[in-house]
Amino acid sequence: MESQSNPPMTRDDHELHIVMFPWLAFGHMIPFLELSKLIAQKGHRVTFVSTPKNIDRLPKLPPNLSPLITLVKIPLPRAEKLPEDAEATVDLPYDKVKYLKKAYDELQQPITQLIQDTCPDWVVYDFAPCWLGPIAAKLGVSCAFFSIFIAASLCFCGPPSVLLGSGGHNRTKPEDFTVPPKWVPFESTVAFRLFEIKRVFDDVIGDDDENLSAMYRLGGAIDGCDAVLVRSSYEFEPEWLHLLEEIYQKPIIPVGYLPPMSTNHDSDDDDDKEWKSIKEWLDKQPKRSVVYVAFGSEAKPSQAELTEIALGLERSGLPFFWALRKQRGLADTEMVELPNGFEERVKGRGKVWTSWAPQLKILSHDSVGGFLTHSGWSSVVEAIRFEKALILLTFLAEQGLNARLLEEKKMAYSVPRDDRDGSFTRDSVAESLRLMMVGDEGKVYRENVEEVRDLFVDRDTQDKYMNNLLDYFKTHKLQDS
């Protein structure tokens, strides 16, 4: 076990020490890190735990906060069938992520030892380590489950009894997930489309003995915690947060949206060179004309999907910048390729970028007007922060549930697709992009994003939620009870 940063050993009576333990996906680690920074800003100490490779890939800590945040590296145990050097979902094709979860479960002993050694006031953990709540309780440490998923997604999944398979209402086939569940008492369209749930059904309910299902892990994480933290706000989804309190029968504490503190937190020399090249291209494009295309660290379109996206971008006639991942780690043998002659035909108007792209900096650029995205919540928050039109193309996990809520609120438009297999055409891509970027029909979506923007990035609102969280942590820690 190795730590980076040395927090002061002296400790104020009012100072908290919190251990953060996210799942090994950057869509989880980054919100956990942003929450850590906000806690440290208030003068409290954080121990952030992950594996060596992931710690090394995290954005650099601001100098004023690094004395309060200790980054601890725990080596990832080897698991059978897990490719060498894979420490995060970004390193793996989707079908091998279950082996990463098996390796992650082997961290029980070292994380228990760390909690014993550091005696924190609180442990804040993710959905995957469903075993951590009972460990913390046995050690006399308060623990909270931090959901990077919004309240609407959590409500759709259901109470812990349903998630753990003991509360009736069991959903056993994909079709069961395409309608709002009975415990949602108000009208809503928040549910998966058939193709969305089919893509993740094996993980959602578990189809073998090799791993715990995602639903079971979520249920265990909720069942074993003292409080649930949600990346949300009462201003945005009040009915869902109130419902969550009812179905969980636990304290629900929204923590705001955790927008990254700065667009410049990745500023080493290599990143600056990459950004300089991207910025030079963006600077030549008209204001709010460019579609930024990116599908997060986990999703990778199939060859057929990639072809339709590319030809749709070409047909749209719009300038675009595409952050394209052709391979998910060395174990990914299904390489995808752009259509023949595509890059030549769109030269000058479109740019395909196949190495790491600084998303925040790109979205903050004036020439970018829209974002064709997978609907991952971090990407949605970043797009709203910079008032970009949202065009959605979902792939995995809870993305479909996010999309339904955004569609309901007329904040985003989804590319039309076949409900059963998720297929879409180049024409539907082109038409969706034009509608949202320049069409009159897209005006209401663009205006609604502008309207809600202040709520998502307002520092006073974020501060209010952070003070509320820390007050709760101070008054409900087990050591004082």
Side-chain angles (χ1 to χ4, degrees):
M1 196 182 299
E2 181 190 336
S3 68
Q4 295 178 7
S5 173
N6 297 297
M9 294 308 290
T10 56
R11 182 166 172 186
D12 188 284
D13 287 343
H14 303 293
E15 180 191 296
L16 293 166
H17 175 211
I18 296 160
V19 167
M20 292 276 185
F21 190 51
W23 163 233
L24 305 178
F26 281 90
H28 291 244
M29 287 183 270
I30 298 300
F32 267 75
L33 188 63
E34 291 302 326
L35 182 59
S36 300
K37 290 180 195 172
L38 290 170
I39 290 168
Q41 269 191 338
K42 299 287 185 181
H44 303 286
R45 291 196 301 127
V46 175
T47 296
F48 187 100
V49 186
S50 193
T51 64
K53 192 173 171 185
N54 290 329
I55 293 286
D56 290 343
R57 289 185 286 188
L58 288 173
K60 288 181 175 60
L61 292 171
N64 64 314
L65 299 182
S66 56
L68 287 163
I69 300 175
T70 304
L71 302 173
V72 175
K73 298 175 176 180
I74 299 183
L76 185 69
R78 297 320 306 158
E80 194 182 346
K81 300 181 187 173
L82 180 67
E84 202 72 36
D85 295 329
E87 293 188 13
T89 56
V90 72
D91 304 322
L92 293 162
Y94 172 73
D95 63 345
K96 288 191 165 50
V97 170
K98 59 186 177 182
Y99 306 123
L100 185 66
K101 286 180 180 169
K102 282 183 80 72
Y104 185 78
D105 287 340
E106 295 301 312
L107 293 173
Q108 287 186 49
Q109 194 280 324
I111 195 77
T112 302
Q113 190 64 51
L114 181 139
I115 294 167
Q116 282 179 316
D117 293 345
T118 58
C119 299
D121 298 297
W122 282 82
V123 175
V124 177
Y125 62 85
D126 213 325
F127 85 101
C130 52
W131 34 263
L132 190 47
I135 290 171
K138 193 176 174 185
L139 297 173
V141 176
S142 302
C143 62
F145 161 55
F146 172 34
S147 168
I148 65 144
F149 312 117
I150 57 175
S153 296
L154 291 173
C155 287
F156 177 85
C157 293
S161 58
V162 169
L163 295 165
L164 294 168
S166 60
H169 301 292
N170 285 346
R171 294 177 277 192
T172 56
K173 55 187 190 296
E175 287 77 8
D176 296 337
F177 291 84
T178 61
V179 291
K182 290 175 182 174
W183 52 81
V184 176
F186 44 82
E187 260 191 53
S188 173
T189 58
V190 173
F192 286 107
R193 293 178 65 189
L194 189 59
F195 73 88
E196 290 167 338
I197 188 63
K198 276 183 170 178
R199 290 184 176 200
V200 294
F201 194 62
D202 59 334
D203 184 43
V204 166
I205 66 158
D207 66 346
D208 54 39
D209 296 327
E210 284 196 273
N211 219 318
L212 297 172
S213 72
M215 287 294 195
Y216 189 90
R217 286 181 187 272
L218 179 60
I222 298 156
D223 194 49
C225 73
D226 299 305
V228 177
L229 318 185
V230 187
R231 190 185 185 185
S232 186
S233 76
Y234 283 113
E235 291 85 352
F236 184 67
E237 46 169 2
E239 69 279 29
W240 291 106
L241 284 162
H242 290 306
L243 177 59
L244 203 58
E245 202 144 21
E246 279 177 40
I247 65 177
Y248 282 5
Q249 293 293 296
K250 292 206 173 197
I252 304 297
I253 306 168
V255 297
Y257 292 101
L258 314 175
M261 288 183 179
S262 165
T263 56
N264 299 311
H265 56 298
D266 301 316
S267 55
D268 63 38
D269 291 343
D270 287 342
D271 293 347
D272 281 346
K273 282 176 201 161
E274 303 258 292
W275 171 236
K276 190 180 176 190
S277 170
I278 294 167
K279 186 176 182 300
E280 279 174 7
W281 186 86
L282 289 172
D283 285 345
K284 294 171 189 167
Q285 312 305 319
K287 191 173 181 180
R288 298 193 71 81
S289 67
V290 176
V291 179
Y292 172 53
V293 185
F295 302 115
S297 60
E298 297 201 32
K300 190 187 89 172
S302 67
Q303 183 60 63
E305 289 169 337
L306 184 88
T307 300
E308 295 305 313
I309 292 166
L311 298 177
L313 286 164
E314 185 178 348
R315 284 193 182 189
S316 75
L318 298 165
F320 64 87
F321 183 94
W322 189 354
L324 174 63
R325 296 189 67 230
K326 290 187 174 185
Q327 189 179 22
R328 287 178 46 80
L330 297 175
D332 187 358
T333 54
E334 293 181 22
M335 295 288 283
V336 288
E337 297 297 338
L338 291 164
N340 283 339
F342 169 75
E343 287 185 89
E344 193 56 43
R345 294 194 301 272
V346 298
K347 199 169 183 181
R349 172 167 71 83
K351 192 167 188 69
V352 178
W353 192 265
T354 53
S355 58
W356 180 83
Q359 180 160 296
L360 268 181
K361 292 179 182 178
I362 294 166
L363 284 171
S364 70
H365 197 281
D366 285 346
S367 71
V368 175
F371 187 9
L372 177 58
T373 172
H374 59 310
S375 196
W377 200 243
S378 288
S379 289
V380 168
V381 169
E382 290 167 9
I384 291 170
R385 175 183 177 180
F386 297 111
E387 297 181 17
K388 308 306 180 187
L390 281 161
I391 309 99
L392 309 181
L393 200 58
T394 61
F395 288 95
L396 293 171
E398 86 297 356
Q399 294 160 12
L401 303 177
N402 295 341
R404 295 306 92 71
L405 188 68
L406 292 166
E407 290 160 6
E408 261 187 21
K409 292 177 178 287
K410 283 214 175 307
M411 290 172 58
Y413 182 84
S414 289
V415 174
R417 301 169 80 164
D418 182 281
D419 199 51
R420 297 199 68 79
D421 64 11
S423 60
F424 53 89
T425 67
R426 58 203 71 176
D427 287 332
S428 65
V429 171
E431 287 160 15
S432 300
L433 293 173
R434 284 197 295 264
L435 181 148
M436 287 298 283
M437 292 292 287
V438 296
D440 288 341
E441 289 174 70
K443 192 178 177 189
V444 63
Y445 299 95
R446 297 191 294 270
E447 286 175 349
N448 285 342
V449 164
E450 287 171 23
E451 222 171 90
V452 85
R453 183 239 176 215
D454 286 346
L455 159 65
F456 273 63
V457 300
D458 180 62
R459 286 290 165 208
D460 290 340
T461 303
Q462 183 63 70
D463 206 45
K464 174 189 76 173
Y465 282 111
M466 202 46 47
N467 288 335
N468 183 53
L469 169 66
L470 293 168
D471 286 346
Y472 185 88
F473 275 179
K474 286 173 187 173
T475 54
H476 291 79
K477 54 184 181 173
L478 280 175
Q479 288 93 327
D480 293 346
S481 51

